[in-house]
Amino acid sequence: ADKEKSEIALLQAYLPAQLSAAEVDAIIQEAIAATGAASVKDMGKVMAVVKAKAAGRADMGAVSARIKAALSG
């Protein structure tokens, strides 16, 4: 198990840093403002902008849920 843990630590050093929840929320708000999104119908536009900025640095499934929540309320 120690060998696997050391391998994980080594590989994580090469991965891009993950965005914090606050950073993801800020990107989402910027994307909503940039696209003029007003409802869940505009989610695709927002997702495209956010994906370009956050791909590889955030779980896009969780990002999608955050976008939906932001556009719903």
Side-chain angles (χ1 to χ4, degrees):
D2 289 336
K3 181 182 178 193
E4 286 82 5
K5 286 181 184 176
S6 66
E7 287 176 1
I8 289 171
L10 177 68
L11 292 172
Q12 285 178 335
Y14 292 96
L15 294 173
Q18 293 295 297
L19 296 172
S20 69
E23 290 171 316
V24 170
D25 288 340
I27 290 172
I28 290 170
Q29 291 307 317
E30 289 173 18
I32 289 172
T35 60
S39 70
V40 179
K41 290 180 184 178
D42 301 318
M43 189 168 165
K45 295 177 193 174
V46 177
M47 191 70 181
V49 173
V50 172
K51 195 171 188 178
K53 293 182 180 183
R57 300 187 300 151
D59 173 12
M60 297 315 286
V63 169
S64 176
R66 287 178 176 271
I67 292 171
K68 193 172 195 176
L71 291 174
S72 295

